Amino acid sequence: MKKIVIAAFCLILSVPAMANTWTNWFTIDSLGYDLYNQGGSESYFYIVPSGTIENPGSCTDTSHYVLGSTHSSHTVADSLNKKEVSKLPTLAYTAGWQIRLYVSGCYHNRPRAYTVEVKKP
């Protein structure tokens, strides 16, 4: 019985870790900046890889990774910070470098990336 309790506790601890992961290295097929809702009050930057989307959070839409968002209620500093986030993927895309993302959870049903790493092929 004691082993079952310990195994269950370890499983509970490992479940959140399963939903967060680094993607494999990939090249970028395209980048975009999209308005999310009809009123245009929220927008986000996204990355489309030249391969399959890794989807550890089981998001329902796997067309691209979401990287940052800006809502009309955010401050100017928030908007500038989101602009900075797009610089590394843009560099990787234009230079033909590889990129990998730290993905955790979903944002508007798409895998959400929190961290970006780039490298020369």
Side-chain angles (χ1 to χ4, degrees):
M1 181 69 176
K2 193 174 188 179
K3 289 181 183 180
I4 293 174
V5 172
I6 291 171
F9 180 71
C10 291
L11 180 62
I12 290 169
L13 289 178
S14 66
V15 169
M18 289 181 206
N20 307 326
T21 188
W22 281 98
T23 65
N24 294 322
W25 290 99
F26 62 88
T27 54
I28 298 173
D29 182 61
S30 62
L31 300 171
Y33 196 70
D34 198 8
L35 294 176
Y36 178 70
N37 58 25
Q38 292 179 354
S41 63
E42 186 172 5
S43 58
Y44 61 87
F45 181 78
Y46 63 88
I47 300 168
V48 180
S50 60
T52 58
I53 298 269
E54 294 180 51
N55 188 14
S58 299
C59 307
T60 56
D61 185 346
T62 57
S63 58
H64 54 266
Y65 294 106
V66 173
L67 184 65
S69 70
T70 302
H71 192 274
S72 61
S73 64
H74 291 178
T75 66
V76 172
D78 290 334
S79 297
L80 291 174
N81 189 34
K82 300 305 180 191
K83 186 177 179 182
E84 291 294 318
V85 165
S86 68
K87 287 185 177 181
L88 277 178
T90 302
L91 170 67
Y93 176 68
T94 56
W97 294 355
Q98 293 184 323
I99 187 172
R100 76 177 185 155
L101 306 170
Y102 183 78
V103 180
S104 178
C106 304
Y107 186 74
H108 295 296
N109 300 318
R110 295 170 181 93
R112 183 173 190 163
Y114 284 92
T115 306
V116 176
E117 284 188 345
V118 297
K119 74 173 183 175
K120 293 181 183 181

